[in-house]
Amino acid sequence: MRAITIPEPGGPDALTWTEVPEPQPGPGEVVIDVRATAVNRADLLQRQGHYPPPPGAPAYPGLECSGVVSAIAPDVTDARVGDEVCALLAGGGYAERVAVPVGQLLPVPAGVDLVDAAALPEVACTVWSNVVRVARLTAGETLLVHGGGSGIGTFAIQLGAALGAKVVATARATKHDRLRELGAGHLVDYRDQDFVEEVRRVTDGRGADVVLDIMGASYLGRNVAALATDGRLVVIGMQGGRRGELDLGALLAKRGTVAATALRSRPLDQKAAIVRGVRDQVWPLVEAGRVRPVVDRRLPITEAADAHRLVESNEHVGKVLLTVG
């Protein structure tokens, strides 16, 4: 079979479509014939040599995929050859086939195209596990989403709105109309507006109950300043650096919480539990049309370098998909 490999870390042109060994299903695994995968920021970091896959994961990029089950291990009883699925991966989605633990499979939601389903697993699992499980967002609260135009951002906006929260998102002004359509009640252009002031203004000075942050260090102080009393800040990315200064006095005064999580490196049982939660709580919203995959465009997997350039440019809204076959 063929897959995207990275012979040497570098720019987008480091991605190479080449022959690699066929995957075989290990205990508790199935093999998926991949129809599509999605480009995530983690893939860009892996290409640059900054984010190696965890032990045992395929060396190829790709944290999610959609496709058809083509082989199963003898001990697998809850999947069948021919099932149309999407899956959360530790790596290996940029390939014609990938082996994945059965606990990380999700059925393609009713009403969602098989290719577009590749846009769902990583964002659904990341957003649900952080916004719902960690931050405990409830109806009537305010959710601040940074990077509203990203795959994570577009999903978080929709899920927050579906849960009955007021959603504020930061994004370039050119993306605001699209994000309003997804459920964002207020948009902040991070390039020339202060999101702390804007959050306070639209909440009558109260602040955000939950902040979902992809920036890390560069936003840490302002995120705490934007929190409401008893607010929860969840950091899931470090695009703005990994080391920041935290004013514990400000956090104490608000009885605030700061949490930081990662999904890719979690043990299999934790990933399976998250996938079950997404299937039980999020998939009904997707099938009802209240949350949907947001796909900026599809490109053939042989054009993975162009897809990486597009994501690096930050000009897209939602996911960029790579189609296989």
Side-chain angles (χ1 to χ4, degrees), residues 104-126:
Q104 292 168 219
L105 293 183
L106 286 157
V108 174
V112 175
D113 177 81
L114 178 60
V115 169
D116 286 350
L120 288 172
E122 192 270 343
V123 293
C125 290
T126 297

Side-chain angles (χ1 to χ4, degrees), residues 148-150 153-154 157-158 169 171-185 187 292-297 315-319:
S150 66
T154 53
I157 289 169
Q158 294 181 87
R172 295 182 181 182
T174 53
K175 303 179 182 183
H176 286 190
D177 288 344
R178 184 76 184 279
L179 302 187
R180 285 191 187 93
E181 295 173 357
L182 296 176
L187 280 302
R292 63 183 187 275
V294 178
V295 176
D296 186 275
R297 69 194 69 184
E315 296 293 336
H316 63 297
V317 174
K319 285 296 189 83

Side-chain angles (χ1 to χ4, degrees), residues 6 22 40 44 57 62 64 66 86 90 117 119 150 155 159 186 211 227 247 257 260 264-265:
I6 308 171
E22 289 274 353
N40 290 285
L44 276 58
E64 57 195 330
S66 62
C86 51
S150 66
F155 196 91
L159 184 61
H186 187 78
V211 178
L227 284 179
D247 184 343
T257 301
R264 188 182 196 185
S265 58

Side-chain angles (χ1 to χ4, degrees), residues 7-99:
E8 296 289 339
D13 290 331
L15 301 173
T16 303
W17 183 238
T18 189
E19 291 287 335
V20 298
E22 289 274 353
Q24 301 298 324
E29 291 185 337
V30 307
V31 171
I32 299 173
D33 286 353
V34 176
R35 294 292 182 267
T37 186
V39 179
N40 290 285
R41 289 278 172 182
D43 304 336
L44 276 58
L45 292 172
Q46 182 172 336
R47 187 202 75 221
Q48 295 162 359
H50 302 315
Y51 194 22
Y60 330 124
L63 299 182
E64 57 195 330
C65 73
S66 62
V68 179
V69 174
S70 60
I72 61 174
D75 62 339
V76 171
T77 59
D78 46 358
R80 295 182 179 182
V81 171
D83 286 350
E84 292 191 346
V85 297
C86 51
L88 178 70
L89 309 173
Y94 287 29
E96 291 179 320
R97 283 173 287 284
V98 64

